Amino acid sequence: MVASEVKNLAAQTAKATEEIGAQIAEIQSATDQAVVAIGGIGRTIEEVSGIAVAIAAAVEQQTAATGEIARTVQETARATEAVTANIASVSQGSAETGAAAGEVLSAASELAQQAEQLNGTVTHFVAEVRAV
């Protein structure tokens, strides 16, 4: 009877050892799968980090471009103000030139009338001198 119990215990030990081996194999398989999954998560984190860096660089470039656009708009506004002031100055100068031209025309017209009168007076004087 002792031999049969020893044989029975040996069989149970062998069976338990076999079950423990199977469980260890399952744990190793699950561990391998976890390692693969963690590696995938690490690669995903690296990709997300790369994308975040690219987005940050793009935002920085966009900010710089927006600043350049704002600076250009300000310069354009100042240039437009200067052009407007120059146009007003030219307009005023044109008005003054027009007024001066009108005065010159009036003076020339008056001079032409005086020249006609003088011509008439000289012609009359020459006619009187010839008559004498």
Side-chain angles (χ1 to χ4, degrees), residues 93-118:
S94 294
E96 291 172 0
T97 300
E103 290 176 11
V104 168
L105 180 61
S106 176
S109 178
E110 189 176 321
L111 184 61
Q113 287 176 354
Q114 289 177 358
E116 276 185 41
Q117 287 176 352
L118 181 60

Side-chain angles (χ1 to χ4, degrees), residues 56-74:
V59 167
E60 187 176 323
Q61 289 175 349
Q62 187 174 6
T63 300
T66 301
E68 181 65 21
I69 289 169
R71 186 184 63 75
T72 302
V73 167
Q74 288 175 347

Side-chain angles (χ1 to χ4, degrees), residues 22-101:
Q23 288 177 353
I24 289 172
E26 287 178 19
I27 290 172
Q28 286 176 338
S29 175
T31 301
D32 289 344
Q33 290 175 358
V35 167
V36 169
I38 289 170
I41 290 169
R43 285 188 297 279
T44 302
I45 288 171
E46 287 177 8
E47 288 176 15
V48 169
S49 177
I51 292 169
V53 167
I55 289 171
V59 167
E60 187 176 323
Q61 289 175 349
Q62 187 174 6
T63 300
T66 301
E68 181 65 21
I69 289 169
R71 186 184 63 75
T72 302
V73 167
Q74 288 175 347
E75 288 177 3
T76 302
R78 282 193 291 272
T80 301
E81 288 174 3
V83 167
T84 301
N86 287 338
I87 288 172
S89 177
V90 167
S91 178
Q92 181 181 356
S94 294
E96 291 172 0
T97 300

Side-chain angles (χ1 to χ4, degrees), residues 2-14:
V2 172
S4 131
E5 285 182 25
V6 170
K7 186 177 176 183
N8 193 16
L9 283 174
Q12 287 177 357
T13 301

